[in-house]
Amino acid sequence: MDEELRSLTERLRQESGASASYGRLAETKDLDELAGVLVEAGRPLWARELAAFRLGVAGDSRAFESLVLLLNHREPQRCASAAYALARLGDPRTARAAAALATNELRVAYALHPVRLLTELRAPESVPALITTLERRLRPHDPYRRVALACVEGLGTLGDARARPVLNEALAHPRLAEAAVHALARIPERP
């Protein structure tokens, strides 16, 4: 079993109190049943998360909206599982949604997983969104260093020359300098 799935199922099993409905949702192969959980009134968050995750990993786009909401959740574990499922969903809307979440200054405290998802997706929206997010994190006394570091590492992974200016700026920030050096080294020199 995949480690992400194992971690998610154990966490949600505990949240559910190991209820019979948890067992049913964890075992069913019926994607329509899982999709029904997402729209049925009164379902607890753990059930919606499990259904959305399983649908996302199965490539069923009915999970998209629920997974995007979970990607922007205040609990990092929910964000991480949503990012994992969204990366496997294959929905063309995913990169735009992740870019919108990563660049939303009102939700920057929850931008870490959208930033990492953008790096994994390697979509056309990825580099511009990471540049924008990192530029904002380079302000004096910005408290979101983990988001900034994820942007630096992501831009290095993507290796796009458009990131050079902002990575050069990141060199001046002690907590980002080493990662910025490595990221710049991964960007091919201009011809």
Side-chain angles (χ1 to χ4, degrees), residues 79-112:
C79 299
S81 66
Y84 180 90
L86 281 165
R88 282 139 191 87
L89 179 60
D91 191 298
R93 301 171 290 175
T94 300
R96 279 192 316 273
L101 293 174
T103 59
N104 182 344
E105 279 299 289
L106 298 176
R107 302 292 292 172
V108 69
Y110 310 107
L112 181 63

Side-chain angles (χ1 to χ4, degrees), residues 27 31 39 43 54 56 58 65 77 85 102 109 136 146 159 168 170 172 183:
E27 298 299 323
L31 297 183
V39 295
R43 284 294 194 146
R54 293 204 51 222
E65 288 84 4
Q77 291 175 314
R136 294 172 180 168
R146 290 184 65 209
N168 280 323

